[in-house]
Amino acid sequence: MTDEGPPGTDPDANPGADPGDDPGEISGADPGDDPGDNPGAGPADSGPPPHTPSPTEHEGRRISYARTFVRLLPALLLVAGAVYDYTTPSAFTAAPFFTAAPLVAAPLYSRRGTILTGLVTVAVVLLVHLQLGILGEADAITETVTVTTVSVLAVLINSLVRRSSEQLASAREIAEAAQRAVLPEPAERIGGFQIAARYEAAQADAFIGGDLYAVQDSPHGVRLVVGDVRGKGMGAVAAVAVVIGAFREAAEQEATLEAVAQRLERALAREGTRRDGIDAFEGFTTAVLAELPHGDGTVRVLNRGHPPPLLLYADGTVRPLLSGQPALPLGMAELGAWPDRADRAGFPGGATLLLYTDGVTETRDPHGRFYDLEERLEGRTFRDPRALLAAVSRDVRRHSGGHLTDDMALLAVRRP
């Protein structure tokens, strides 16, 4: 790293400009998105291009249409049953239509809605039989009793589904609380810097996994960490908690970034002795630590086997902060010892530091091409860190066709 900005540019030339005024967004992204969250493509744009729905939008619309159809299905079944019963000879029965209506309503409607559907179904059956003049015949009575019995069962099913839904909602609340406890969202301003963080789990309905981030103000500057724990499940979550807990304590107490990294190393080593199985021998965490000293316009970065951070200048230039001395991930000290050495770079006003996990750069499109974050951000500007992360997240999902294969954590810091 060097102490200056990119050649031929003056990062401080326009620190007060609002990059959000530029109306485009990340290359390859959907131009129909909110331009406030996605920066401009350049002065050649003469107006908003036509909206092209992304694969995710197509999928969302299909799901919306399917849900609407399913919610209307009980009414459609009643209409179909009434028409079938009324237009066919009395030897034919529409009982399958009538029994299906309350059963379909049970998992979809409230208890009142399910009861109402059952009552309407029985009333329709009786009305059709009355119109056909077969109300007292054995087949008609059997059909009425069958529909009534199924309607009662539908109410019982609805009660069970509601109870399961309440238990699931409680589990989701607990998961959200765990995420807030382990990975709390940082404040929008810390130590004079603008901060934004974003976590997206690859597994549907999951809230936390093996990726981590943390921001801590300290007497030595604002310190940050972004990391990725090897493995999945609760073992990875436990390691995340260990790393973040050790980082917050070390960031306050240690005078150097190198000493912070060593504290994390020791914390993971202690955790490894308490874990059984393969994780006790092969567990490790890739991580990048950064330090923003108060008032000197620089950033110090220490990389432990993690994708390099990107420095986004106010003019749209993007520069990776490569490590001058590669080092092993945290938790692998038994394989060799290299002294940690942080690299320093200039961090001018208006610039944004972006840290991320490999869930971003290892995302593939349907043709197997990796997502090139540096290339996608080159020449783009963003009004604030939150807009940057929102745009990157959308662009990654478009690139993958809406299907992430790994968790994704993003942390952005801007010097005003």
Side-chain angles (χ1 to χ4, degrees), residues 165-178 204-207:
S165 298
E166 291 171 355
Q167 292 174 345
L168 179 60
S170 176
R172 288 176 63 88
E173 290 177 359
I174 293 173
E176 290 178 3
D205 297 326
F207 292 94

Side-chain angles (χ1 to χ4, degrees), residues 349-363:
T352 301
L353 179 68
L354 176 62
L355 298 87
Y356 55 93
T357 58
D358 59 10
V360 177
T361 52
E362 292 185 0
T363 297

